[in-house]
């Protein structure tokens, strides 16, 4: 299955590594800082997306041919990002909210 991990801070990198270790087909890492995305790629992310430069929902729908992600692990805690994750899930997909907004 494909796994999208939003946020490539320490918790996001851990989530990406765990997803890969548990057999994810592709791990997609996102962040707004290129330096964090470079680390994510080094640590095993298959695809990285800088969401400052690219619309994430558009990217996900193109990648999945309009189906949506199998699994999403939200690690940013940023309210607009949390809200947008639901529209990127496929029917029957799973969402894990790690970064919870205040």
């Amino acid at each position: 299955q494909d796994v999208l991990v939003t946020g490539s801070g320490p918790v996001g990198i851990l989530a990406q590594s765990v997803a890969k270790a548990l057999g994810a087909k592709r791990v997609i890492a996102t962040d707004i800082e290129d330096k964090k995305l470079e680390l994510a790629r080094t640590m095993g992310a298959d695809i990285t997306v800088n969401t400052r430069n690219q619309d994430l929902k558009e990217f996900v729908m193109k990648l999945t041919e309009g189906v949506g992600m199998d699994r999403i692990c939200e690690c940013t805690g940023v309210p607009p990002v949390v809200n947008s994750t639901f529209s990127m899930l496929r029917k029957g997909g799973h969402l894990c909210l790690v970064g919870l907004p205040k």
Side-chain angles (χ1 to χ4, degrees):
Q1 292 186 339
D2 290 336
V3 178
L4 171 66
V5 179
T6 57
S8 292
V11 174
I13 296 286
L14 175 64
Q16 295 160 21
S17 299
V18 169
K20 200 68 170 169
L22 292 176
K25 184 172 78 173
R26 290 184 295 193
V27 174
I28 298 96
T30 72
D31 207 279
I32 58 172
E33 295 182 31
D34 288 328
K35 199 169 194 174
K36 288 182 179 180
L37 293 171
E38 289 173 24
L39 179 59
R41 174 129 0 230
T42 301
M43 298 299 288
D46 299 299
I47 301 169
T48 57
V49 180
N50 186 325
T51 54
R52 182 172 285 171
N53 306 327
Q54 190 167 12
D55 181 80
L56 183 57
K57 183 176 179 181
E58 183 180 306
F59 176 84
V60 164
M61 291 306 160
K62 185 176 180 182
L63 180 72
T64 63
E65 299 175 352
V67 174
M69 296 301 301
D70 299 311
R71 298 180 185 274
I72 299 176
C73 186
E74 204 300 307
C75 299
T76 68
V78 176
V81 178
V82 173
N83 291 336
S84 70
T85 56
F86 295 97
S87 66
M88 292 183 271
L89 272 176
R90 70 168 172 79
K91 290 185 180 179
H94 297 273
L95 174 62
C96 175
L97 298 174
V98 177
L100 297 177
K102 292 182 181 183

